[in-house]
């Protein structure tokens, strides 16, 4: 099989992982704190590792990791329905992984896909078990339908965080500067934390997180990447600062200020690397 074909197959797998991550996070947030939500978040983290391995392999083959999100299964109103969606989504993944393991000759890539497949088989069993548990306990959707300026601001934050997570991960795969790679990975993880805080806050105030993203900067030169990131970080630090000033809720204020301070930190980290890169 030629390289282009392998890259295309791995990108299909990567898009599937992206869809799974967002489906599972959406479910975990919507069922509230508890043992099952934690276990589902842990599964989402395993899918993130898969995404990372696939992206690195694609770049190693000279390809570009896809930013597309694979199909998510979002039907159903109860936690048991969502867990059944998880069973089906894992089956959606297992089929192609089995085919790709067979079709690809490269022993390293075969081994990687086999490894991922065994995780998916394990997740499949987990979700089957969660369906039963959710039924037994009559677990419900705890999201509310509040909709106002605060909800809009928090969802705007999620949109921003999701976008930069994708952007920094993409850039970390594409850059040839090892310090930039390390920092982009670290900050992507920090932005994942931000997304989680914002989503949990929306649940707390009886609303519902909307996990969508906007355009991702796809510069291929490290200096261009960093310039785009610094611009975004400055804008978002200002936006969180404004949001903190506009709210009277002390908890919300604290959240926005903490986010703002992290974004200022990101601006500084990226600015330092850009200075080095421009030397
Ligand atoms: Fe999985
Ligand atoms: Fe952030
Ligand atoms: Fe940031």
């Amino acid at each position: 099989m030629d390289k282009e074909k392998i890259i295309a197959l791995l990108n299909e797998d990567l898009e599937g992982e992206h869809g799974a991550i967002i489906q599972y996070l959406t479910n975990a947030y919507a069922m509230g704190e508890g043992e099952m939500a934690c276990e589902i978040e842990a599964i989402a983290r395993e899918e993130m590792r898969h995404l990372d391995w696939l992206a690195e392999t694609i770049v190693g083959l000279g390809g570009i990791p896809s930013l597309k999100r694979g199909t998510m299964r979002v039907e159903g109103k109860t936690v048991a329905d969502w867990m059944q969606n998880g069973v089906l989504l894992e089956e959606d993944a297992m089929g192609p992984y089995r085919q790709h393991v067979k079709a690809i000759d490269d022993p390293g890539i075969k081994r990687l896909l086999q490894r991922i497949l065994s995780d998916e088989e394990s997740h499949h069993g987990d979700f089957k078990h969660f369906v039963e548990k959710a039924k037994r306990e009559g677990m419900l959707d705890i999201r509310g339908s509040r909709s106002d300026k605060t909800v809009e601001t928090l969802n705007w934050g999620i949109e921003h965080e999701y976008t930069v997570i994708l952007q920094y991960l993409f850039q970390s795969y594409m850059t040839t500067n090892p310090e930039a790679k390390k920092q982009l990975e670290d900050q992507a993880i920090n932005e994942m934390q931000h997304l989680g805080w914002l989503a949990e806050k929306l649940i707390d105030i009886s609303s519902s997180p909307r996990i969508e993203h906007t355009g991702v900067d796809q510069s291929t030169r490290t200096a261009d990447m960093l310039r785009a990131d610094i611009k975004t970080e400055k804008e978002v630090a200002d936006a969180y600062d404004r949001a903190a000033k506009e709210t009277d809720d002390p908890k919300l204020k604290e959240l926005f200020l903490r986010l703002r301070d992290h974004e200022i930190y990101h601006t500084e980290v990226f600015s330092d690397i850009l200075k080095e890169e421009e030397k």
Side-chain angles (χ1 to χ4, degrees), residues 83-96:
M83 297 303 97
Q84 183 57 29
N85 290 338
V87 172
L88 296 175
L89 195 75
E90 293 295 337
E91 287 170 8
D92 294 342
M94 282 150 57

Side-chain angles (χ1 to χ4, degrees), residues 15-16 18-19 22 66-72 162 211-213:
E15 289 170 11
H18 184 170
I22 303 303
S66 171
L67 285 162
K68 269 193 242 148
R69 182 165 82 193
T71 319
M72 302 197 297
Y162 184 10
I211 312 186
E212 295 298 339
H213 67 84

Side-chain angles (χ1 to χ4, degrees), residues 146-216:
R146 174 170 159 182
S147 151
D148 56 18
K149 181 84 199 312
T150 303
V151 167
E152 238 173 76
T153 307
L154 290 165
N155 269 319
W156 172 85
I158 290 183
E159 187 181 78
H160 156 75
E161 300 298 343
Y162 184 10
T163 306
V164 290
I165 292 165
L166 293 179
Q167 182 162 315
Y168 298 169
L169 286 177
F170 182 81
Q171 294 175 341
S172 77
Y173 301 132
M174 301 306 288
T175 184
T176 49
N177 174 333
E179 179 59 15
K181 184 179 181 69
K182 182 186 170 293
Q183 288 299 340
L184 286 161
E185 270 173 12
D186 275 7
Q187 305 329 322
I189 292 167
N190 192 215
E191 311 294 18
M192 288 178 204
Q193 241 183 328
H194 294 175
L195 191 154
W197 294 343
L198 291 160
E200 278 159 13
K201 181 51 96 179
L202 276 159
I203 301 286
D204 271 1
I205 65 167
S206 306
S207 188
S208 173
R210 189 186 61 231
I211 312 186
E212 295 298 339
H213 67 84
T214 56
V216 174

Side-chain angles (χ1 to χ4, degrees), residues 160-161 164 168 187 190-191 194 229 233 236 259 262-264 266-267 270:
H160 156 75
E161 300 298 343
V164 290
Y168 298 169
Q187 305 329 322
N190 192 215
E191 311 294 18
H194 294 175
D229 298 344
E233 291 289 351
V236 77
L259 290 166
H262 283 183
E263 312 306 5
I264 292 172
H266 299 163
T267 310
F270 293 148

